[in-house]
Amino acid sequence: ADDEGGGAEPERVRIPVKRGLRFRLAELGRRQHTTRQARRWSLIVVAVIAAAYWFTQWPLPRLLSEHPDYNFYLIQPVIWLVVAGLALYGWLRLREKPRFSKVLVGIAFLAGIFHLAVLVIAGVVWDFGDSPIAGRLVNYPKNFLYFTTLLLGAEMARAYLFYVWKRWNEKAAFAGVALLLFAVGMAAAQWTPFDSMDQGFRAVGGRWLPAIALSIFCTWLVSYGGVGPSFAYRWVLVAFEWFSPILPNLEWPIQLAVGLAVPLVASWLVGGIYAES
């Protein structure tokens, strides 16, 4: 036995600790970017988004014209996961960012259901048409993979870029991020010149302005609670578009009215419900 005051100190035994993904993410979050580092990383994310949009809209469809499944269900998911990973890396190293809120994500999801319900009601009142996207049931898991990875990359980038850029000017950051993600969300074919005035009204009023309103609302959700709420809201709408065999077939004035009014009402609903929760 050791003496009361002078025994040898017992040897310390090191217990191996399993360092999983959660530990590594927490460790990464402690190594914060400086302002200059965050600015540089945000420019890298923007450059990768621009390259991803260019590559997936022009060279990739031509390269894989005989194998479109590889395009939509392999290459594009990998590309947008890379975008999401780069944005997530920067997000974890931000000094200030909102905490993840399950309540706010749930409220945003319900707001997406509300938006969807308005679209369905409009389709009942006016007209429905066959979906040009929804395929056979066997393709649904592949479609899920495609649009979920695309949304994850876009919304993760939206959240990260907004919180980096708002350090200099919050209003400019809001407008810049909303316009950037609006542009990325539009297919290249929709940027072609208009052949007639009517086609211009259909494109601008029926697609562009509602898409801008949606991007503004999602950027507002990001400013409110990070990537979760905006991802949940958009996922509901895109899932309906990809999974439903029929979609509302609305004239452009109805599309414009719904596309502008619903995000405005949804912002009021989300803000009011979350403030009371």
Side-chain angles (χ1 to χ4, degrees):
D2 294 331
D3 294 334
E4 292 184 3
E9 183 178 353
E11 182 180 355
R12 295 182 179 178
V13 179
R14 292 186 178 182
I15 302 175
V17 178
K18 185 178 181 180
R19 297 191 174 186
L21 177 61
R22 188 173 181 178
F23 177 86
R24 293 172 184 172
L25 292 177
E27 187 178 23
L28 180 62
R30 288 193 291 268
R31 299 197 299 268
Q32 297 175 347
H33 271 157
T34 65
T35 300
R36 180 175 295 180
Q37 288 173 328
R39 182 187 305 171
R40 289 176 179 174
W41 194 256
S42 72
L43 295 178
I44 291 174
V45 172
V46 171
V48 172
I49 291 174
Y53 182 80
W54 169 80
F55 183 68
T56 56
Q57 294 295 316
W58 285 284
L60 186 59
R62 292 196 295 267
L63 292 172
L64 296 178
S65 59
E66 297 182 359
H67 303 282
D69 280 8
Y70 293 159
N71 176 0
F72 292 102
Y73 304 133
L74 178 61
I75 304 301
Q76 289 204 43
V78 170
I79 289 173
W80 291 110
L81 283 176
V82 169
V83 172
L86 292 173
L88 176 62
Y89 176 84
W91 175 265
L92 292 173
R93 303 191 72 172
L94 286 176
R95 293 182 180 179
E96 298 179 0
K97 52 182 178 286
R99 292 183 178 180
F100 178 79
S101 171
K102 293 182 180 178
V103 174
L104 186 54
V105 171
I107 295 171
F109 184 85
L110 293 177
I113 297 293
F114 164 75
H115 192 153
L116 180 58
V118 174
L119 288 174
V120 171
I121 292 172
V124 171
V125 173
W126 281 278
D127 191 20
F128 275 100
D130 293 335
S131 171
I133 297 176
R136 296 174 299 174
L137 183 61
V138 70
N139 289 333
Y140 282 9
K142 296 179 181 179
N143 292 342
F144 175 87
L145 173 67
Y146 169 72
F147 72 75
T148 300
T149 53
L150 192 153
L151 286 180
L152 185 62
E155 296 310 310
M156 191 70 246
R158 186 194 304 271
Y160 172 65
L161 294 175
F162 173 76
Y163 276 91
V164 171
W165 294 349
K166 79 168 190 174
R167 297 178 182 178
W168 294 279
N169 188 305
E170 187 167 354
K171 292 181 179 179
F174 190 101
V177 169
L179 289 175
L180 173 64
L181 272 298
F182 154 72
V184 170
M186 300 291 289
Q190 298 181 6
W191 297 111
T192 55
F194 308 135
D195 295 331
S196 64
M197 186 70 70
D198 183 63
Q199 184 183 10
F201 281 128
R202 289 200 305 270
V204 176
R207 290 195 299 267
W208 291 11
L209 292 179
I212 290 174
L214 180 62
S215 185
I216 290 173
F217 176 62
C218 288
T219 307
W220 178 82
L221 286 174
V222 156
S223 70
Y224 219 67
V227 65
S230 63
F231 177 84
Y233 189 91
R234 285 198 66 194
W235 192 92
V236 173
L237 301 178
V238 177
F240 174 72
E241 183 179 356
W242 278 82
F243 289 160
S244 176
I246 58 173
L247 295 173
N249 184 19
L250 308 175
E251 296 293 334
W252 74 262
I254 307 302
Q255 291 179 330
L256 178 61
V258 172
L260 296 182
V262 174
L264 182 63
V265 175
S267 65
W268 175 73
L269 291 174
V270 171
I273 296 173
Y274 187 62
E276 295 177 359
S277 61

